[in-house]
Amino acid sequence: MTAEPDTGTVLITGAARGIGAATARRMATCGWSVVLFDRDEKVADTAASIESAGGRALACRGDVTSESDWAAALARAHETFGPLDALVCNALATDHTPLHEMTLASWQRQLDVNLTGAFHGVRACLPDLRRDRRGAIVIVSSVHAGFGLPGVPAYAATKAGLTGLTRQLATEYGGEVRVNCVLPGPILTAQWDGSAEDERAASAAETVIGRLGDPEEVAGPIEFLLGASASFVTGATLTVDGGWSITKNSS
Ligand SMILES: NC(=O)c1ccc[n+]([C@@H]2O[C@H](COP(=O)([O-])OP(=O)(O)OC[C@H]3O[C@@H](n4cnc5c(N)ncnc54)[C@H](O)[C@@H]3O)[C@@H](O)[C@H]2O)c1
């Protein structure tokens, strides 16, 4: 058995804000060096706040759909911290539109960011992650992977695709890289900015805990899955939804 490290270098996509930023802060607090990859220029502020709190962080501006942006981010990460030990695929695109009104461009963009973005990221990072047979990947899917809710056909299809991709990658690289998936439920991030108060209250009431989650409450499970405590966990899907989905199952 190869002992897994409890720290190392992790690259997190969609890390400028929300769950990605919370994960970056959590990993840095736990002693990891963190590469924050996001297309939003605010990623520099998020990295700076981690550094001013005493962490090690590098901001890389780029789009997860761009092979050349991945190459540039990896080159900067190597220069700054050396090879990666872990990857979190978290960036998302979504469009709340029923399929009959959705444009092909919108459908394609969501597939490109959510699913093909993970493909690019995993392919770019695998040489690092496989190098000493103890890499780890967490893919951020959603409860939408397993439950039908109106208005998000492309998003739900990509999130279900990511759970399949998790199992496939875990099988393919089992002895070298652990690959797990988290399925967040309603988490209060900018994704909820346009929502009405009663919509938030209704979603909170659908959890058994009775509230929306905080991004930090997804960051903790991601940190667990990346670290040595999860050394025998691979191909798993960890639901982080305050019990939202168990009420669906029991209805
Ligand atoms: N918030 C929720 O209720 C919820 C529920 C289930 C699943 N999730 C999942 O959690 C993850 C994070 O969601 P969030 O709520 O923190 O979202 P968010 O909108 O707060 O953050 C997403 C980040 O991804 C970045 N991003 C978007 N497209 C990108 C691209 N092409 N390249 C690089 N970066 C890009 C954005 O700039 C942003 O910083 C997503 O995978 C989402 O599907 C969220």
Side-chain angles (χ1 to χ4, degrees):
M1 188 176 87
T2 312
E4 288 200 25
D6 241 345
T7 61
T9 300
V10 58
L11 186 150
I12 302 165
T13 70
R17 68 183 193 190
I19 291 168
T23 303
R25 286 192 294 271
R26 170 88 180 208
M27 298 305 289
T29 302
C30 292
W32 290 67
S33 301
V34 183
V35 182
L36 298 92
F37 184 28
D38 202 295
R39 66 177 184 166
D40 187 334
E41 64 187 8
K42 292 198 179 74
V43 70
D45 301 335
T46 310
S49 72
I50 289 172
E51 289 197 299
S52 59
R56 290 183 300 277
L58 171 71
C60 292
R61 187 130 178 250
D63 191 313
V64 293
T65 67
S66 161
E67 214 172 342
S68 57
D69 286 357
W70 272 104
L74 262 286
R76 291 193 55 217
H78 289 165
E79 268 168 36
T80 311
F81 297 130
L84 300 178
D85 302 288
L87 168 69
V88 179
C89 297
N90 168 77
L92 90 147
T94 188
D95 174 7
H96 285 253
T97 308
L99 190 135
H100 67 281
E101 291 171 4
M102 186 171 286
T103 63
L104 176 59
S106 170
W107 170 268
Q108 195 60 57
R109 178 70 185 161
Q110 293 173 80
L111 264 62
D112 286 349
V113 174
N114 301 353
L115 205 44
T116 311
F119 161 78
H120 282 302
V122 172
R123 199 173 55 160
C125 298
L126 267 176
D128 282 7
L129 302 181
R130 297 176 78 184
R131 76 189 186 286
D132 53 11
R133 303 176 62 82
R134 55 186 198 182
I137 297 173
V138 168
I139 291 177
V140 181
S141 175
S142 166
V143 289
H144 285 274
F147 292 89
L149 295 172
V152 285
Y155 178 75
T158 62
K159 293 297 174 177
L162 288 170
T163 61
L165 181 64
T166 299
R167 286 189 291 273
Q168 179 64 31
L169 295 173
T171 306
E172 195 94 42
Y173 304 106
E176 300 173 325
V177 183
R178 294 182 302 101
V179 187
N180 292 294
C181 189
V182 293
L183 308 181
I187 308 297
L188 193 55
T189 67
Q191 288 297 315
W192 289 77
D193 278 356
S195 64
E197 202 47 57
D198 58 347
E199 195 185 326
R200 291 182 190 197
S203 285
E206 284 185 38
T207 71
V208 299
I209 289 183
R211 60 174 174 82
L212 303 183
D214 289 324
E216 288 72 19
E217 293 175 295
V218 185
I222 293 174
E223 186 248 316
F224 160 71
L225 288 170
L226 292 176
S229 303
S231 57
F232 203 54
V233 182
T234 196
T237 48
L238 178 52
T239 304
V240 187
D241 69 348
W244 182 93
S245 51
I246 55 169
T247 63
K248 302 290 173 296
N249 284 335
S250 59
S251 62

